[in-house]
Amino acid sequence: MKTNLRQYTLQITAIFALVSVLTIGCSSTYTPIQKIDGKYDLNYTMKKGVEFSITKENKHLNDRTFMGKQMVTNTEDMIVIEIEVNSSAKDGCKIEMEYEDRSHATDEKGFEAEIDFSELLKKEINAALSANGELSDFDGLEELPQINFRDMDRVMTPELYSYEFIDLFTIFPDHPVGVDEIWTYTQEFDEPSGGAILKATLNYEYKIASESVEGFDNCILLKGTYKFDIVGVIDAGGLELTIKLDGTGVEDVCFDLKRKMFHWKRTSAVIDGSAFNEDMGITAPMHHEIENKFNVEF
């Protein structure tokens, strides 16, 4: 049986490209941000006409070994998204988003050429942003180009674009919380890969760690941790491989209580596991390190 090593590595890279950009939660009911009895009511109910941009920088170390061959690649991505609040209501707001800039770089040999993102820029995408950070009712995703990230064997679809927008907003609880009081949420999603569906489960836990952030007025510091696992079976060029992966991550967020938007957030994750075929005695270890930096400019 001939195994397509390139196909296998591309499928695994695509899995972690999705994991590195995905956070989502559940909806909530709006009440103004305020502190009552020592608790904060957190939400994203920004006023109509507010404009800001979010710059996201992503670094991904991908270390895998297959059939005795170790492969280590590094990728760096940068995305700038312009956002304007078109309307505001008790349950959240309507926002308009545009890609202002984008880049992708890899040190994987044969894929160093730059990707042309010009067709993506300045196209309008509209969505509803709930008070606690859930994005829904997307309009315009179908008009975005099917850009091919060849080093990851990944062609952008409306669903994959939606993950990039969803990733911007940390999810808040549907009730007031005090310092060190924990809120949680769980997300499950399916990721097509190798002609099959991988199942991913992510468990998030957040708290208000501090009522002040150095250098920023009217801000609180949120700290989060998350755990996830990914399981499934893929076809790597005719070789059936079972995927089992798990990882942990951390997130820090500087949230402005008056602007009702964060100034910055930082996330990082470490992912380990393997792809294996017990009948053939094949095990392919994998290790991934992911870092994300988000900065907002008002």
Side-chain angles (χ1 to χ4, degrees):
M1 177 183 297
K2 182 178 181 181
T3 300
N4 188 327
L5 173 60
R6 177 63 189 164
Q7 182 177 348
Y8 158 74
T9 58
L10 289 175
Q11 289 164 357
I12 298 303
T13 301
I15 295 167
F16 287 100
L18 179 60
V19 170
S20 70
V21 301
L22 187 58
T23 54
I24 188 172
C26 51
S27 60
S28 70
T29 302
Y30 162 84
T31 49
I33 287 182
Q34 54 189 328
K35 187 177 182 181
I36 301 177
D37 297 330
K39 295 181 181 291
Y40 291 93
D41 185 13
L42 305 176
N43 59 68
Y44 291 97
T45 53
M46 294 170 281
K47 294 181 180 180
K48 179 180 178 180
V50 169
E51 297 182 18
F52 56 95
S53 66
I54 302 178
T55 299
K56 175 187 175 181
E57 297 175 272
N58 168 268
K59 293 183 179 181
H60 179 194
L61 168 70
N62 182 357
D63 184 351
R64 64 276 192 205
T65 301
F66 188 65
M67 306 294 283
K69 181 179 180 181
Q70 183 181 24
M71 296 157 285
V72 180
T73 57
N74 293 273
T75 59
E76 295 189 11
D77 288 87
M78 186 274 295
I79 299 173
V80 181
I81 296 175
E82 298 279 352
I83 299 177
E84 180 177 359
V85 179
N86 287 335
S87 65
S88 184
K90 290 184 177 181
D91 58 351
C93 52
K94 304 289 187 180
I95 60 174
E96 178 184 298
M97 302 175 287
E98 294 181 356
Y99 284 94
E100 179 70 17
D101 196 6
R102 185 162 190 167
S103 64
H104 174 78
T106 179
D107 62 5
E108 186 168 1
K109 296 194 180 300
F111 295 91
E112 298 90 348
E114 293 185 4
I115 299 175
D116 182 6
F117 291 105
S118 59
E119 190 180 352
L120 175 65
L121 307 182
K122 300 301 184 180
K123 285 186 167 57
E124 294 182 1
I125 301 95
N126 293 280
L129 175 64
S130 73
N132 80 321
E134 181 184 36
L135 277 176
S136 61
D137 299 332
F138 285 98
D139 181 43
L141 294 177
E142 294 78 9
E143 306 303 319
L144 300 181
Q146 296 182 341
I147 295 173
N148 187 359
F149 290 78
R150 292 178 55 248
D151 59 307
M152 299 187 296
D153 193 25
R154 184 180 182 82
V155 178
M156 294 298 292
T157 64
E159 184 177 23
L160 294 179
Y161 278 117
S162 73
Y163 293 155
E164 294 189 338
F165 295 119
I166 287 168
D167 182 43
L168 302 177
F169 300 96
T170 297
I171 302 299
F172 294 148
D174 59 2
H175 57 274
V177 290
V179 175
D180 290 330
E181 185 176 345
I182 292 172
W183 70 90
T184 64
Y185 67 96
T186 298
Q187 179 207 354
E188 296 180 346
F189 68 93
D190 295 337
E191 162 68 353
S193 180
I197 299 294
L198 298 180
K199 301 288 186 179
T201 302
L202 297 92
N203 296 294
Y204 298 85
E205 184 176 285
Y206 285 95
K207 69 178 182 179
I208 299 174
S210 175
E211 294 180 287
S212 63
V213 180
E214 185 177 355
F216 294 88
D217 296 330
N218 307 306
C219 290
I220 57 176
L221 179 65
L222 312 179
K223 283 187 173 291
T225 60
Y226 55 95
K227 298 179 181 180
F228 54 86
D229 60 80
I230 302 171
V231 296
V233 178
I234 65 171
D235 179 0
L239 175 64
E240 187 177 274
L241 294 173
T242 299
I243 304 292
K244 287 189 178 181
L245 307 157
D246 58 68
T248 60
V250 296
E251 179 175 324
D252 289 352
V253 184
C254 171
F255 188 77
D256 192 313
L257 295 171
K258 285 192 173 182
R259 292 183 181 271
K260 302 182 182 180
M261 183 60 196
F262 65 87
H263 283 280
W264 55 259
K265 68 175 180 176
R266 307 286 185 262
T267 70
S268 63
V270 175
I271 303 161
D272 289 291
S274 65
F276 58 90
N277 184 306
E278 291 184 346
D279 292 339
M280 299 187 67
I282 295 174
T283 300
M286 292 176 287
H287 174 77
H288 296 259
E289 298 176 13
I290 299 168
E291 294 184 3
N292 292 305
K293 294 182 180 180
F294 300 78
N295 290 295
V296 174
E297 184 175 340
F298 295 97

